[in-house]
Amino acid sequence: MKIQHPKPIKNGAKIAVISPAGFVEESQIAKGLEMIEAKGFEPVLGKFALGKFENGYPYSGTEKERLHDLNWALNDEEISAVWATRGGYGCQHLLQKISLKNFKQNPKWYIGYSDNTVIHSYLLKKSFASVNGQTLKTSSFGVCEEGYEEIFKILKGGSTKILVDDHPFNKKGEANGILVGGNLALVYALLGTKYSFDFKDKILFLEDIGEKYYTLDRMLMALELAGVFRKISGLIVGGMINMGDEKSNENYESSFDEKAYELIHHRLQKYDFPVAFQFPNGHIFENRPIIIGGMIRMKVGKKAEFNYPN
């Protein structure tokens, strides 16, 4: 499968800002919008980017409204990239009616993480790469600025290389493959659907937030039973934060929860593909962008090295 990567965007390009899932306040994305402008680009808000619709969850709009903004952003010829304001919940609602009519002739980077994992999966099924990285809302949290700098580097045609310290659960080895995955809960939610990632010979990335340990293990078991771990050529484990019970977990605020890592390590012991833990991506301070659909090389030794070979 040949994956298409969008062309580099030019100075002055318009970047669509949309909220395909949860509700966001204008003050929460103000810094992100200023950052886009400071880099020489023009942020263009979707019609319902700052909307609110309550239906058991505070969405940014009805399914029809959120779909309107997503399809506008993907297909409008004046838009050069699409940046989600946040995740939360709601992107799954849109999958069955996404249009790529004009997008196919003019692919553009889609940027987001968390709930946006399902949109990354959708685009990759259509052979388009996308960026799993910071949303605009997180710019108001005081997160690592480097994560945003590297997104702009990708938008301009550059690539990234990441070196990660060793972890006792790492499994040494080398692997090359197309990168898939994102938020574990969403990878799990798509299993068995036509929108699920194709895992064969891929390198899988997983991160998550706010899961009880038994629900984490349930999702890992689902991947096991679906044969995912028999198909992949490598695994990268990112942030696992706010896991278990806040009162009893001393590592609750840790970016790389020890117990969560133990559970993952336990489920992977019988496999021989390389595994790298504590990768800086996820719902954590240091959320560095990765390219879903990008050909990535992982080398796990005394340190774990990740790059996108030309």
Side-chain angles (χ1 to χ4, degrees):
M1 178 172 65
K2 185 177 181 181
I3 309 302
Q4 294 189 57
H5 289 232
K7 297 177 181 178
I9 68 174
K10 300 178 181 179
N11 191 52
K14 295 180 179 180
I15 297 178
V17 175
I18 63 171
S19 303
F23 156 76
V24 67
E25 297 179 2
E26 186 173 7
S27 61
Q28 295 175 315
I29 62 170
K31 184 177 180 180
L33 298 179
E34 292 174 359
M35 182 172 51
I36 290 174
E37 293 176 338
K39 292 295 182 180
F41 304 115
E42 179 185 349
V44 183
L45 268 67
K47 183 177 181 180
F48 303 102
L50 299 175
K52 190 173 185 181
F53 174 70
E54 290 277 357
N55 188 25
Y57 179 82
Y59 302 100
S60 69
T62 64
E63 292 177 22
K64 184 177 181 180
E65 290 169 342
R66 287 179 283 127
L67 183 67
H68 168 277
D69 276 9
L70 177 59
N71 282 337
W72 157 74
L74 291 174
N75 294 289
D76 191 304
E77 294 180 359
E78 293 187 359
I79 299 299
S80 298
V82 185
W83 208 327
T85 63
R86 61 163 296 178
Y89 174 67
C91 289
Q92 279 179 292
H93 296 154
L94 315 181
L95 293 180
Q96 298 177 84
K97 295 184 179 179
I98 293 177
S99 169
L100 298 180
K101 184 178 180 181
N102 295 331
F103 182 93
K104 292 177 181 178
Q105 284 72 48
N106 182 34
K108 57 194 75 172
W109 287 115
Y110 183 93
I111 309 154
Y113 75 112
S114 190
D115 198 59
N116 292 279
T117 295
V118 301
I119 296 180
H120 295 313
S121 184
Y122 179 92
L123 291 172
L124 186 54
K125 296 290 280 191
K126 302 295 183 180
S127 301
F128 298 105
S130 55
V131 177
N132 187 93
Q134 293 282 22
T135 56
L136 293 176
K137 180 181 177 181
T138 48
S139 63
S140 66
F141 296 169
V143 294
C144 174
E145 295 293 333
E146 191 172 7
Y148 287 104
E149 291 296 327
E150 290 184 349
I151 289 175
F152 286 111
K153 183 178 180 181
I154 292 171
L155 290 178
K156 294 176 181 179
S159 63
T160 61
K161 179 179 179 179
I162 297 177
L163 195 65
V164 179
D165 289 337
D166 190 25
H167 188 278
F169 291 154
N170 280 4
K171 190 172 291 185
K172 292 179 172 56
E174 297 184 29
N176 295 288
I178 293 172
L179 185 64
V180 301
N183 182 261
L184 172 59
L186 278 305
V187 173
Y188 163 77
L190 292 179
L191 283 178
T193 75
K194 66 179 182 180
Y195 304 104
S196 179
F197 289 105
D198 173 11
F199 299 99
K200 184 173 175 55
D201 299 325
K202 306 299 193 300
I203 293 177
L204 176 62
F205 168 76
L206 297 174
E207 61 86 17
D208 218 325
I209 181 174
E211 298 289 350
K212 300 297 184 183
Y213 291 124
Y214 75 89
T215 61
L216 170 63
D217 191 57
R218 175 192 290 154
M219 292 187 287
L220 293 171
M221 276 305 306
L223 268 62
E224 163 82 18
L225 295 172
V228 171
F229 298 136
R230 293 196 302 272
K231 297 175 182 176
I232 61 175
S233 60
L235 179 70
I236 302 170
V237 185
M240 292 282 162
I241 188 171
N242 299 158
M243 309 297 281
D245 182 74
E246 184 174 5
K247 294 180 180 179
S248 60
N249 182 10
E250 296 179 354
N251 297 307
Y252 190 76
E253 297 296 336
S254 170
S255 294
F256 309 113
D257 185 89
E258 292 181 11
K259 183 61 179 178
Y261 273 18
E262 287 178 11
L263 290 170
I264 297 169
H265 173 64
H266 173 71
R267 289 293 166 209
L268 298 175
Q269 284 183 328
K270 65 181 180 181
Y271 299 99
D272 59 4
F273 51 73
V275 181
F277 285 83
Q278 64 186 15
F279 186 89
N281 182 287
H283 294 72
I284 56 179
F285 175 80
E286 188 180 4
N287 184 3
R288 309 272 292 279
I290 55 178
I291 299 175
I292 301 300
M295 178 61 71
I296 192 170
R297 176 185 294 131
M298 63 181 294
K299 183 178 180 181
V300 185
K302 292 183 178 180
K303 289 182 179 288
E305 181 180 326
F306 309 87
N307 61 69
Y308 300 92
N310 295 325

